[in-house]
């Protein structure tokens, strides 16, 4: 048998040159272009300072020159503005080409790069011509600009090459590229920014075509974890963009006006400043202008404070933190209110003569934004982000441990009081460094202003002005120190483990579950999103969807109290106006429900391994032994851990494996009884990794504890993900390894969980007469059984529940039916809708249509 790749064991110093040689040999188009770029530059003498005035119209793409010099559409990729441009352009081409050219193929890569470059310029020129009357001075400012360089070519090539990558990495690379390009196009707004964006869009469309398939449009399916990252990325762009526009000397992008909502730093004309300071009546305005003019590093930090806080909250959103969601929502809602006031001031006519026009509304100079549309549309961005955060509130359920933010508030208040006292005390010592010298009352009155962003102070004339170096440092540093300290404390709360984040009801449910135990799936009742009904000693976890209370599993608590809990919960639901139903319950509770006149239908099949009988010997376990033996030969081992204790590199691999699995789906990640990364991050949940000697994770499986009388007696399989290019039998290996390991630990059983809408024939379970008869029980609704059977078959291409159940059959488990209990057959359509919404709470219209199309197309 072939040995594992021995090259992995070579020292890095021996394999690095060979690896680089392979990379260079696989990138001939990239190296050829870099050679041509520098050759044309040296031959034409353009490397130092760009093309000569006589050459520029022939090689630079501009709205005026292209009609007469159409060849500039292509030649513009082979020249740059100066030496720095040549260096940066070369790095951009190498960064895109060396890792990606081999993926797409050299000829296709070069074709996509050149075609994308040309199409990006054409799209930009067409946009400038079409938007000339809509976007005011922005379009007029761009009409005299020109484009040179290979940056658009690199963007187009990179976007096209992603078509040859896996779904997850294709999406990630495209999102990052487009986010950066949109940032500069919308805020800086130069011609080169628009050309790069257009070239990237063209490359994204050309890539699939060159691969022989049609481009796909529409919203892709993303997991909750990936959705958080996308929201955080959008908020990051919205935070950085105004800073880019505020610091760029000639930012004219359509969203550049938003810098006034964030920074409000305006250039001060020295001549106007001198004239203002020469008039005694304008001394306060003179001092305010001097404050703007002298805003150093501290002043700039205070000016971009909203962006700084948004970046912190974006990191919290990426981690699913509820507090970060609330903070980001508060900032965006405040900016939306400020935007509404600004829009009203611009669009509404002044109420009387002598009042300020839109050129001076709120002290903001808006004369450069002449068209009302160029003001209204950008100001709607904070409103859009506010609506987005409200719509996605369920993506951020993670709460910090109890008391976290009380301690944060206490430390922030202590820092605020301490710095305020220090400012007043040091201000009195340095009073001679201010003009005029302030007294205690003036310094005390100025304290609030030291902690506010600079944009809030522009319309206020300062009572005194720092002159000496020590006074300037004191004046500017107080706010910086306070907000830096606050930001560090806030970031620390996001980095703290979220364990212990559960509400009081969740903690109470966990205590009951650990004390009295439950079924093999009862740990799912502790997952986020459930509501709880409690009796004296039992609880029921449920979710209300469209007037239906879907209880997950049987009542958890003392076995003698389960009948009473069942009837009391049903009474509670009727009192609340809900239709109750119990989902994923066993035969024992079904008997009670039938005695009370309820109906039932089998909705899943649980597979259970009795660990005292597990040996994996004999012909029927040949596949399992093969997986174990192959893993040993390839150096892959099974390693127990928890997600929180795993190294960061391992956590990142688990997340990437999970996101790759979700990215290949056409509908969203399911929840309710199917765990995701959120449920994996629990200290009570064990993870078993298939990991090799290079610390590459090939697969991961999570196991939920099953308690009885305070002790763990078994484990339930939940989360299973395998690396697409990893060890193919890794899941077989993990399940078999888990069974043998848990057997050694003395556990009684291991549940492979239940597969929704998948059942085995009675003949397969107990030697029944017919292979087509399902174990629905004597009182099962035959018509409903057939409908669920059809639905499970229709969903098989999307979610593969039946394939999953067939996969588990190789372990020769015991089969236990799982039922849905309902009080009235007339409520079944509403119950079906509620269960669907419990599994797919975030499904949108397009994804619903995709699902329905799959159902209707099945014969």
């Amino acid at each position: 048998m072939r040995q594992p790749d021995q090259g992995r064991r070579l020292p890095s110093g021996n394999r690095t040159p060979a690896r680089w040689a392979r990379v260079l040999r696989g990138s001939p188009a990239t190296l050829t272009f870099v050679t041509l770029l520098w050759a044309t530059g040296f031959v034409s003498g353009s490397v130092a300072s760009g093309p000569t005035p006589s050459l520029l119209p022939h090689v630079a793409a501009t709205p005026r020159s292209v009609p007469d010099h159409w060849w500039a559409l292509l030649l513009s990729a082979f020249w740059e503005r100066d030496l720095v441009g040549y260096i940066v352009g070369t790095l951009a081409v190498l960064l895109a080409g060396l890792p990606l050219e081999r993926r797409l193929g050299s000829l296709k890569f070069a074709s996509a790069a050149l075609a994308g470059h040309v199409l990006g310029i054409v799209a930009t020129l067409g946009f400038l011509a079409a938007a000339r009357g809509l976007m005011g001075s922005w379009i007029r400012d761009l009409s005299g600009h020109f484009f040179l360089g290979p940056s658009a070519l690199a963007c187009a090539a990179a976007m096209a090459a992603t078509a040859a990558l896996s779904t997850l990495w294709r999406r990630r690379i495209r999102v990052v590229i487009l986010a950066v390009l949109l940032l500069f196009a919308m805020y800086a707004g130069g011609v080169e920014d628009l050309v790069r964006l257009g070239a990237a869009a063209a490359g994204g469309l050309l890539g699939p075509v060159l691969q022989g398939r049609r481009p796909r449009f529409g919203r892709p399916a993303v997991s909750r974890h990936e959705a958080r990252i996308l929201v955080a990325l959008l908020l990051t762009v919205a935070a950085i963009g105004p800073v880019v526009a505020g610091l760029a000397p000639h930012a004219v992008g359509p969203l550049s006006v938003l810098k006034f909502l964030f920074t409000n730093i305006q250039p001060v004309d020295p001549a106007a400043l001198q004239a203002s300071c020469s008039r005694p009546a304008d001394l306060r305005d003179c001092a305010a202008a001097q404050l703007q003019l002298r805003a150093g590093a501290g002043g700039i930090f205070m000016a971009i404070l909203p962006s700084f806080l948004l970046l912190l909250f974006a990191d919290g959103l990426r981690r699913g933190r509820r507090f970060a969601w609330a903070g980001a929502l508060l900032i965006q809602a405040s900016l939306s209110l400020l935007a509404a006031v600004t829009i009203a001031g611009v669009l509404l006519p002044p109420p009387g003569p002598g009042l300020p026009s839109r050129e001076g509304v709120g002290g903001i100079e808006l004369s450069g934004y002449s068209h009302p549309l160029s003001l209204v549309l950008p100001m709607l961005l904070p409103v859009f982000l506010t609506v987005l955060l409200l719509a996605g509130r369920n993506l951020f359920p993670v709460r910090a441990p109890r008391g976290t933010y009380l301690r944060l508030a206490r430390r922030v208040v202590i820092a605020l009081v301490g710095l305020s006292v220090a400012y007043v005390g040091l201000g009195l010592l340095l009073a001679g460094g201010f003009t005029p010298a302030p007294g205690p009352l003036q310094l005390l009155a100025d304290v609030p202003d030291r902690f506010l962003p600079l944009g809030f102070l522009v319309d206020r004339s300062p009572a005194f002005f720092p002159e000496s170096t020590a006074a300037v440092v004191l004046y500017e540093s107080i706010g910086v120190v306070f907000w830096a300290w606050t930001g560090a404390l806030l970031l620390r709360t996001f980095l703290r483990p979220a364990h212990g984040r559960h509400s009081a009801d969740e903690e109470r449910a966990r205590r009951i579950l650990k004390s009295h135990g439950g079924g093999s799936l009862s740990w799912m009742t502790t997952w986020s999103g459930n509501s709880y009904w409690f009796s004296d000693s039992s609880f029921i976890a449920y979710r209300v969807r469209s007037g239906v209370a879907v209880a997950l599993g049987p009542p958890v608590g003392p076995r003698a109290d389960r009948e009473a809990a069942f009837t009391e919960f049903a009474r509670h639901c009727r009192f609340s106006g809900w239709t109750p139903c119990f989902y994923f319950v066993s035969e024992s509770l079904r008997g009670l429900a039938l005695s009370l006149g309820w109906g039932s239908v089998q909705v899943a099949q649980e597979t259970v391994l009795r660990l005292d009988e597990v040996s994996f010997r004999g012909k029927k376990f040949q596949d399992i032994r093969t997986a174990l033996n192959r893993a040993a030969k390839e150096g892959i081992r099974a390693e127990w851990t928890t997600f929180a204790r795993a190294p960061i590199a391992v956590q990142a691999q688990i997340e990437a494996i999970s996101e790759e699995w979700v990215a290949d789906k056409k509908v969203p990640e399911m929840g309710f009884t199917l765990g995701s990364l959120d449920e994996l991050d629990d200290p009570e949940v064990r993870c078993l990794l298939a990991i090799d000697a290079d610390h590459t994770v090939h697969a991961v499986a999570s196991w939920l504890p099953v308690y009885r009388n305070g002790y763990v007696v078994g484990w339930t399989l939940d989360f299973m993900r395998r690396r697409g290019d990893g060890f193919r039998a890794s899941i077989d290996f993990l399940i078999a390894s888990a069974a043998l390991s848990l057997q050694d630990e003395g556990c009684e059983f291991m549940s492979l969980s239940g597969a929704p809408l998948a059942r085995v024939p009675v003949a397969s379970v107990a030697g029944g007469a017919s292979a087509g008869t399902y174990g629905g029980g004597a009182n099962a609704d035959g018509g409903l059984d057939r409908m669920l059977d059809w639905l499970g078959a229709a969903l098989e291409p999307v979610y593969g529940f039946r394939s999953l159940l067939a996969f588990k059959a190789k372990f020769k488990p015991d089969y236990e039916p799982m039922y849905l209990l309902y009080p009235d057959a007339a409520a079944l359509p509403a119950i079906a809708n509620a269960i669907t919404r419990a599994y797919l709470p975030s499904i949108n219209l397009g994804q619903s249509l995709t699902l329905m199309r799959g159902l209707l197309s099945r014969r």
Side-chain angles (χ1 to χ4, degrees):
M1 182 176 290
R2 183 183 63 86
Q3 294 297 318
D5 184 7
Q6 299 299 320
R8 291 185 179 182
R9 299 193 179 103
L10 292 176
S12 60
N14 292 337
R15 68 188 185 198
T16 299
R19 180 185 301 171
W20 276 107
R22 288 195 302 269
V23 170
L24 294 176
R25 285 197 303 268
S27 309
T30 300
L31 299 179
T32 300
F33 177 81
V34 171
T35 302
L36 290 175
L37 175 68
W38 285 92
T40 55
F42 279 115
V43 170
S44 63
S46 305
V47 172
S49 56
T52 62
S54 59
L55 179 63
L56 188 62
H58 297 274
V59 298
T62 71
R64 297 174 183 175
S65 68
V66 166
D68 298 327
H69 306 88
W70 56 266
W71 51 85
L73 292 174
L74 183 61
L75 294 182
S76 57
F78 297 89
W79 272 268
E80 262 292 358
R81 298 171 183 265
D82 49 32
L83 179 60
V84 174
Y86 276 94
I87 295 174
V88 173
T90 300
L91 292 177
V93 173
L94 293 177
L95 186 63
L98 293 182
L100 295 176
E101 181 180 336
R102 291 180 299 163
R103 295 278 187 172
L104 193 61
S106 297
L107 181 59
K108 294 178 180 179
F109 185 84
S111 301
L114 295 175
H117 173 87
V118 172
L119 291 175
I121 297 175
V122 171
T124 299
L125 298 182
F127 170 75
L128 295 179
R132 189 174 302 277
L134 294 177
M135 300 304 293
S137 61
W138 178 43
I139 303 301
R140 292 195 300 272
D141 292 339
L142 297 183
S143 61
H145 294 192
F146 63 89
F147 177 77
L148 278 178
S151 58
L153 180 144
C155 293
M159 288 289 288
T162 58
L165 301 178
S166 65
T167 304
L168 175 65
W169 286 105
R170 176 168 64 247
R171 178 191 300 165
R172 286 183 170 179
I173 293 175
R174 288 182 175 182
V175 165
V176 171
I177 291 176
L178 291 177
V180 173
L181 295 180
L182 277 170
L183 170 67
F184 284 96
M186 295 293 101
Y187 288 96
V191 165
E192 62 277 8
D193 302 312
L194 296 180
V195 172
R196 294 185 196 111
L197 180 60
L205 296 175
L206 289 171
V209 174
L210 293 173
Q211 289 288 96
R213 62 177 187 267
R214 293 191 306 172
R216 291 193 302 177
F217 300 95
R219 173 183 165 184
V222 296
S223 67
R224 284 172 285 176
H225 182 265
E226 193 82 355
R228 291 171 190 161
I229 293 178
L230 294 177
V231 173
L233 180 62
L234 182 59
L235 199 71
T236 300
V237 171
I240 296 177
V243 178
V244 171
L247 299 180
H250 304 293
V252 292
L255 298 183
S256 60
V257 67
L258 289 175
K259 64 185 177 183
F260 297 121
L261 292 184
F262 283 78
T263 62
N264 210 3
I265 298 180
Q266 305 172 53
V268 178
D269 183 11
L273 174 62
Q274 183 177 4
S276 176
C277 293
S278 64
R279 296 188 294 269
D282 295 335
L283 288 180
R284 288 185 176 273
D285 294 336
C286 169
Q290 287 177 325
L291 183 61
Q292 278 281 87
L293 187 64
R294 292 192 55 178
I300 293 176
F301 177 84
M302 294 302 294
I304 64 172
L305 180 59
S307 294
F308 170 73
L309 293 177
L310 278 179
L311 287 177
L312 289 177
F313 289 138
D315 181 74
L317 292 177
R318 179 177 66 87
R319 304 172 189 277
R321 298 291 177 146
R322 193 70 169 183
F323 185 84
W325 173 84
L329 181 65
L330 178 62
I331 291 179
Q332 292 299 336
S334 302
L335 292 175
S336 300
L337 181 61
L338 182 58
V341 173
T342 304
I343 292 174
V346 171
L347 297 182
L348 296 179
L355 294 178
S357 63
R358 71 164 176 249
E359 285 78 17
V361 173
I364 299 176
E365 182 64 32
L366 298 173
S367 58
Y369 303 87
S370 56
H371 198 285
L373 191 61
S374 65
L375 283 172
V376 174
L377 290 181
M379 296 296 183
L380 293 178
L381 180 61
V383 179
F384 166 75
L385 292 175
T386 301
V387 173
L388 178 67
L389 288 169
L390 286 172
R393 60 188 179 276
N394 292 330
L395 293 173
F396 312 102
V398 182
R399 301 178 187 274
R402 192 176 303 171
T404 297
Y405 291 106
L406 287 177
R407 290 191 294 271
L408 173 66
R410 184 164 57 248
R411 292 171 182 173
V412 168
V413 169
I414 291 174
L416 180 66
V417 173
L419 288 172
S420 300
V421 172
Y423 175 69
V424 174
L426 293 175
L428 291 175
L429 293 176
L430 301 174
F434 293 91
T435 303
L441 294 180
Q442 288 83 3
L443 286 169
L444 192 61
D446 190 59
V447 164
D449 292 350
R450 295 308 95 227
F451 301 99
L452 292 175
L454 189 61
F456 288 82
L457 309 176
V458 173
D459 293 334
R460 298 181 56 184
S461 299
F464 48 86
F465 182 72
E467 290 286 355
S468 68
T469 301
V472 169
V473 171
L474 175 65
Y475 195 79
E476 292 187 355
S477 64
I478 291 295
V480 175
V481 172
F482 171 75
W483 286 110
W485 170 251
T486 301
L489 292 177
L490 186 61
L491 185 61
R492 185 181 178 186
T493 67
F494 298 153
L495 295 175
R496 288 190 63 187
H499 312 311
R501 63 187 181 271
H502 313 290
S503 66
D505 284 348
E506 288 175 285
E507 293 291 354
R508 182 181 176 187
R510 287 186 176 227
R511 288 194 299 269
I512 294 175
L513 178 58
K514 291 181 179 181
S515 298
H516 300 285
S520 57
L521 305 180
S522 291
W523 192 260
M524 297 176 183
T525 61
T526 66
W527 289 354
S528 177
N530 291 321
S531 299
Y532 295 93
W533 174 89
F534 290 96
S535 65
D536 291 339
S537 56
S538 302
F539 76 89
I540 293 175
Y542 66 96
R543 302 188 186 197
V544 178
R545 298 289 186 271
S546 304
V548 176
V550 183
L552 176 56
V556 178
R559 189 171 296 274
D561 296 341
R562 290 184 182 179
E563 179 176 349
F566 181 94
T567 55
E568 290 176 17
F569 175 74
R571 188 181 304 113
H572 167 73
C573 291
R574 288 193 295 269
F575 180 79
S576 301
W578 304 328
T579 299
C581 70
F582 284 79
Y583 185 70
F584 262 41
V585 299
S586 62
E587 184 71 40
S588 59
L589 189 66
R590 175 173 174 264
L592 169 63
L594 293 179
S595 68
L596 297 176
W598 285 46
S600 70
V601 63
Q602 185 181 342
V603 292
Q605 197 92 39
E606 186 184 8
T607 48
V608 180
L609 295 181
R610 308 298 172 184
L611 294 179
D612 57 347
E613 303 171 358
V614 169
S615 64
F616 298 127
R617 297 174 182 172
K619 185 176 180 180
K620 62 182 179 180
F621 292 113
Q622 180 62 47
D623 292 343
I624 307 301
R625 291 198 303 275
T626 300
L628 292 170
N629 294 333
R630 285 188 57 198
K633 290 180 180 179
E634 296 191 21
I636 297 173
R637 67 185 186 278
E639 183 175 299
W640 286 107
T641 185
T642 65
F643 187 80
R645 291 206 310 263
I648 294 178
V650 171
Q651 290 182 358
Q653 290 186 71
I654 294 174
E655 292 173 355
I657 291 171
S658 177
E659 299 303 338
E660 180 183 3
W661 183 86
V662 175
D664 287 328
K665 303 295 181 184
K666 295 182 180 179
V667 289
E669 185 179 26
M670 300 183 80
F672 195 30
T673 64
L674 301 172
S676 65
L677 284 173
D678 292 338
E679 289 73 31
L680 192 70
D681 189 9
D682 185 328
E684 302 276 358
V685 174
R686 297 175 70 177
C687 297
L688 188 60
L689 308 178
I691 190 167
D692 63 19
D694 293 331
H695 302 287
T696 298
V697 178
H698 292 257
V700 57
S702 73
W703 302 86
L704 311 178
V706 182
Y707 280 89
R708 184 191 304 150
N709 300 325
Y711 297 96
V712 176
V713 296
W715 294 88
T716 299
L717 176 64
D718 175 39
F719 182 93
M720 288 190 300
R721 299 287 190 271
R722 182 179 70 86
R723 184 182 295 275
D725 57 352
F727 178 49
R728 293 189 60 82
S730 53
I731 297 298
D732 306 56
F733 166 69
L734 284 181
I735 294 178
S737 299
L740 296 174
S741 174
L742 295 177
Q743 184 184 59
D744 293 339
E745 293 179 15
C747 294
E748 297 179 10
F749 68 90
M750 183 177 77
S751 171
L752 301 183
S753 195
L757 299 176
R759 300 174 292 181
V760 295
V762 172
S764 300
V765 179
S770 172
T773 303
Y774 288 82
N779 295 320
D781 188 318
L784 185 58
D785 265 353
R786 288 192 294 272
M787 188 272 289
L788 291 175
D789 180 42
W790 171 81
L791 183 62
L795 287 176
E796 177 63 21
V798 181
Y799 287 111
F801 293 136
R802 291 187 170 185
S803 300
L804 178 62
L805 185 60
F807 163 77
K808 296 174 181 178
K810 67 175 65 177
F811 296 93
K812 309 305 177 185
D814 295 336
Y815 293 94
E816 298 182 1
M818 309 297 290
Y819 296 96
L820 166 70
L821 309 179
Y822 54 91
D824 185 359
L828 282 174
I831 292 173
N833 175 64
I835 293 175
T836 301
R837 294 184 63 82
Y839 272 114
L840 297 167
S842 61
I843 192 169
N844 60 23
L845 178 61
Q847 292 162 338
S848 299
L849 293 176
T850 298
L851 201 57
M852 290 302 300
R853 186 164 56 248
L855 296 177
L856 296 176
S857 64
R858 180 172 178 81
R859 295 184 182 276

